[in-house]
Amino acid sequence: MSADSRREAAARLHIDWTRCDGRGLCAELLPEALSRDDWGFPLAAPGRLAVDADKSNVPLKHSELGAATDAVKLCPVLALRLTRP
C-alpha cells in the first residue's frame, strides 16, 4: 500500500493488544492486510504501514471491508474494531 493509499484508506482495523490472544483468525481472513508473528499475533502486512505509523491501526482497502467486518464479528476476545478515517 503506497503512502497515498494509506492516507485514503477506506477504514482502519484497530487491534487491541491487551485483549488479543493470538488465535490468528483475523490474519486468515485478511491475508493481504495482516501477517502473524511467531506467537500468532496479528501484524500489519509488510508495506501496509508508514514507518512512523501507529501499528495498532492497520489501513484497509475498500475491497477488504467485508472480510474485516467478519474478522471483527468473529474475534473470540473482541480485540478488533473498525474505525473510519
Side-chain angles (χ1 to χ4, degrees):
M1 203 172 222
S2 69
D4 289 336
S5 298
R6 284 189 291 269
R7 282 192 293 271
E8 298 173 15
R12 297 192 187 284
L13 182 67
H14 176 76
I15 304 166
D16 183 342
W17 301 109
T18 63
R19 290 184 170 201
C20 182
D21 65 1
R23 293 181 189 217
L25 178 62
C26 56
E28 290 179 27
L29 291 170
L30 293 161
E32 291 183 15
L34 299 173
S35 61
R36 296 170 72 180
D37 68 11
D38 293 339
W39 298 275
F41 290 92
L43 302 170
R48 194 48 82 127
L49 295 174
V51 173
D52 60 345
D54 175 3
K55 293 178 179 28
S56 295
N57 293 296
V58 180
L60 299 172
K61 301 174 191 174
H62 286 281
S63 61
E64 296 168 329
L65 290 179
T69 300
D70 290 344
V72 170
K73 289 179 182 177
L74 295 171
C75 180
V77 294
L78 307 174
L80 302 173
R81 183 177 73 228
L82 280 178
T83 60
R84 302 291 174 172

